[in-house]
Amino acid sequence: MPPPADIVKVAIEWPGAFPKLMEIDQKKPLSAIIKEVCEGWSLGSHETYALQIADATNFYITEKNRNDIKNGSILRLTTSPYQTALQLHERIQSSSMDAKLESLKDLANASRDITFAQEFINLDGISLLTQMVESGTDFGDLLSFTLTAFVELMDHGIVSWDTFSVAFIKKIASFVNKTAMDTAVLQRSLAILESMVLNSQDLYHKVAQEITIGQLIPHLQGTDQDIQTYTIAVINALFLKAPEEKRQFDENIVDILNCPLTEMAHILAQKQLRSIILTNVIRSPTPINDEMAHQLYVLQVLNFNLLEDRMMTKMDPQDQAQRDIIFELRRIAFDVESEPNNGGSIEKRKSMYTRDYKKLGFINHVNPAVDFTQIPPGMLALDNMLYFAKHHQDAYIRIVLENSSREDKHECPFGRSSIELTKMLCEILKVGELPSENCHDFHPMFFTHDRSFEEFFCICIQLLNKTWKEMRATSEDFNKVGRVAPLVFQACVSC
């Protein structure tokens, strides 16, 4: 007959004694079970003891998690979380460096358990650790394990990040800004800065004032992928939390390496950072692990999200500057720059414009500005078209002229195709959406060019036109060809 569901059979260890085989009744209070175990080994003061899972985690058994105990589990009788926290709180202040180091190692390990963490924090343990860091007397392993314990304790979300002083922030930033720093200390310091930025808007401003891109770049140029990952994570965090006005490109910033990290659009767009990531991370002989892939994906998403404003901006048909962009597309395609403004009648000129706008593939031949009032993709589509016309002029002219010389039903309308393609790219690349916590899909080609989105559009529009020709598509097939567009995208990112 099987035992009742509330009874689990376990082994319980105690240092210096043979393990006990015991049946635990899950309906009994945990304190009663611990008392029974203590009495079996003739141990008094049972309230100062607790049970742990006897594995690498050493997590304490509590009333909340006791149902995780399964038949055959191995438990360990040990001092209670409060007693352990009290002992470690005292031992990490030892005057003996060896004793202090061992205690900090134990603290870093124990702090992963939320039950212990709560007790240590209740003893004002976080303040003690920050004081130890601010004092500047500990280095190497002592500092490394102090920071490790701090990170583990803060990861439980018990203490608010807003409670830390400017002095502590400056000290952590100084570890990142030093050219030669212990790897473990550097890694923990980067992790702390990232958490500060992500968890406190006030700390975002303080951290952004302490570090510059020039101080982070050397960490990307090394060979330690963990350090590189944490460095990119800090950049991502600062950009993610930057106020909207700080995300916009500022052409007045000249000194890139020493500019504040709040000017994130400039940092993400500037060539040196992109080139360093491409050379030292993406093209490194070291395989990219999942965490690095995630951070590169986040950086990619944040970079593309700079396009959201243009994507959601409708064209104003009455705005002459915006209308001039359409005139420029016509000028480049048909070489009509020398056409006199007063040549011919108004009706004749209108007819000529309408003819050319039809050849350019706009839906509204009379006033193509109307085509760009749909959001998304808004003005972003027009930006892509102008970039293609200016930077890939031969290909642009060829596509326009090829289609304008075909029968009407077989032409691939450049304007309409560009608008739909831009919209599709925004959907696939999730422009304007926050990064997913579990995604690792970054595309190396987006780190190979300063204007990667525009360049990608240029590749796709040419492949789309080629697909149209190969399918011998007609205007009725426009949506059918559009369904092939995601395959065009995959072909492009595989280039």
Side-chain angles (χ1 to χ4, degrees):
M1 180 176 178
D6 294 322
I7 302 297
V8 289
K9 296 182 178 182
V10 299
I12 302 180
E13 300 176 338
W14 173 250
F18 288 108
K20 283 182 177 292
L21 297 179
M22 186 173 178
E23 291 186 352
I24 290 180
D25 185 349
Q26 291 284 41
K27 291 183 294 185
K28 289 177 64 175
L30 190 58
S31 58
I33 294 172
I34 293 172
K35 181 179 180 181
E36 182 181 344
V37 173
C38 288
E39 288 174 347
W41 275 306
S42 301
L43 299 172
S45 303
H46 69 273
E47 64 277 0
T48 62
Y49 293 92
L51 290 173
Q52 282 180 328
I53 297 290
D55 60 12
T57 65
N58 293 324
F59 283 176
Y60 281 98
I61 302 298
T62 65
E63 291 291 354
K64 289 183 178 180
N65 65 16
R66 61 183 296 175
N67 288 328
D68 293 338
I69 302 173
K70 306 300 180 185
N71 279 313
S73 295
I74 300 177
L75 309 183
R76 179 185 300 116
L77 184 66
T78 186
T79 53
S80 69
Y82 171 74
Q83 289 295 323
T84 304
L86 197 63
Q87 292 168 12
L88 286 174
H89 192 278
E90 180 179 346
R91 285 165 49 200
I92 62 174
Q93 301 178 71
S94 171
S95 58
S96 166
M97 291 298 101
D98 290 340
K100 185 176 183 178
L101 178 59
E102 289 306 310
S103 300
L104 285 168
K105 288 180 181 179
D106 291 342
L107 176 62
N109 184 57
S111 295
R112 293 178 297 170
D113 184 295
I114 191 170
T115 308
F116 167 86
Q118 184 68 71
E119 296 292 352
F120 189 78
I121 289 169
N122 289 344
L123 295 171
D124 214 14
I126 291 285
S127 294
L128 175 58
L129 292 178
T130 57
Q131 289 167 16
M132 291 168 61
V133 172
E134 289 176 23
S135 70
T137 56
D138 292 338
F139 300 95
D141 286 345
L142 285 171
L143 180 57
S144 170
F145 283 106
T146 301
L147 294 177
T148 301
F150 175 86
V151 169
E152 294 290 354
L153 290 167
M154 291 302 298
D155 277 350
H156 295 296
I158 299 171
V159 177
S160 169
W161 284 92
D162 286 309
T163 59
F164 298 107
S165 67
V166 174
F168 180 70
I169 297 168
K170 286 180 177 290
K171 180 61 71 172
I172 296 297
S174 72
F175 300 147
V176 172
N177 293 338
K178 288 180 180 177
T179 54
M181 176 54 65
D182 178 84
T183 300
V185 172
L186 176 58
Q187 186 185 87
R188 306 299 186 276
S189 299
L190 288 166
I192 291 169
L193 291 179
E194 180 197 8
S195 293
M196 284 180 172
V197 172
L198 291 177
N199 290 285
S200 168
Q201 193 64 31
D202 183 50
L203 291 188
Y204 152 77
H205 292 288
K206 293 174 181 175
V207 171
Q209 291 171 358
E210 296 299 325
I211 52 179
T212 66
I213 189 64
Q215 292 160 331
L216 289 178
I217 278 178
H219 304 319
L220 294 173
Q221 293 173 315
T223 57
D224 189 315
Q225 189 170 118
D226 288 337
I227 295 298
Q228 293 173 323
T229 302
Y230 279 106
T231 301
I232 296 176
V234 170
I235 294 174
N236 287 339
L238 284 160
F239 181 71
L240 193 61
K241 291 297 181 178
E244 189 63 35
E245 67 274 11
K246 292 294 187 180
R247 299 185 188 185
Q248 304 309 312
F249 189 86
D250 184 355
E251 294 181 353
N252 296 318
I253 297 179
V254 178
D255 188 357
I256 295 294
L257 295 185
N258 294 311
C259 76
L261 277 180
T262 49
E263 308 295 347
M264 292 306 299
H266 210 75
I267 290 162
L268 293 181
Q270 60 100 3
K271 186 174 183 179
Q272 185 177 7
L273 177 62
R274 178 186 57 76
S275 176
I276 287 170
I277 291 175
L278 184 65
T279 302
N280 295 279
V281 178
I282 297 175
R283 292 177 176 170
S284 166
T286 304
I288 292 177
N289 60 34
D290 285 348
E291 183 55 33
M292 173 59 86
H294 173 69
Q295 293 302 332
L296 290 172
Y297 150 78
V298 172
L299 185 60
Q300 171 185 284
V301 170
L302 296 178
N303 200 359
F304 288 146
N305 281 355
L306 294 171
L307 304 170
E308 182 183 11
D309 183 59
R310 295 294 284 175
M311 180 184 76
M312 300 305 294
T313 298
K314 293 182 180 182
M315 185 171 184
D316 180 0
Q318 306 305 316
D319 188 315
Q320 187 58 46
Q322 294 180 0
R323 290 170 62 85
D324 285 345
I325 299 176
I326 296 177
F327 294 152
E328 181 69 359
L329 290 173
R330 176 176 177 264
R331 181 195 68 77
I332 295 173
F334 305 116
D335 193 22
V336 292
E337 185 173 22
S338 59
E339 179 186 313
N341 290 331
N342 58 357
S345 67
I346 292 177
E347 289 303 318
K348 183 178 180 181
R349 287 169 54 201
K350 281 185 177 179
S351 174
M352 192 162 46
Y353 274 102
T354 299
R355 179 200 66 200
D356 289 347
Y357 290 151
K358 182 177 184 300
K359 289 180 180 180
L360 282 169
F362 291 116
I363 299 173
N364 191 315
H365 305 156
V366 177
N367 185 8
V370 176
D371 289 14
F372 301 97
T373 56
Q374 173 193 352
I375 55 171
M379 288 295 290
L380 184 59
L382 189 58
D383 293 342
N384 281 339
M385 293 168 69
L386 183 63
Y387 182 91
F388 182 46
K390 285 190 170 183
H391 293 84
H392 300 271
Q393 193 169 115
D394 290 345
Y396 166 69
I397 293 172
R398 185 182 68 253
I399 285 178
V400 172
L401 295 184
E402 275 183 2
N403 285 290
S404 63
S405 63
R406 293 177 189 157
E407 295 179 59
D408 285 355
K409 68 175 185 177
H410 282 296
E411 68 177 7
C412 177
F414 173 71
R416 184 182 175 190
S417 298
S418 296
I419 292 169
E420 291 301 319
L421 177 59
T422 301
K423 183 179 179 181
M424 182 207 75
L425 292 179
C426 289
E427 290 173 353
I428 292 176
L429 297 171
K430 303 186 185 304
V431 174
E433 297 183 20
L434 288 175
S436 165
E437 292 184 2
N438 302 312
C439 188
H440 308 93
D441 298 334
F442 78 96
H443 303 294
M445 72 160 289
F446 290 126
F447 292 86
T448 63
H449 201 282
D450 296 332
R451 302 286 294 274
S452 57
F453 188 87
E454 292 89 336
E455 283 293 322
F456 191 52
F457 167 85
C458 295
I459 296 171
C460 284
I461 194 68
Q462 293 177 77
L463 285 177
L464 196 61
N465 187 68
K466 181 173 180 286
T467 302
W468 183 282
K469 287 194 295 184
E470 291 172 350
M471 291 177 64
R472 296 188 58 80
T474 65
S475 53
E476 287 78 15
D477 297 322
F478 188 87
N479 291 333
K480 186 187 298 183
V481 176
R483 289 194 291 272
V484 179
L487 300 178
V488 173
F489 173 87
Q490 293 301 329
C492 290
V493 295
S494 300
C495 293

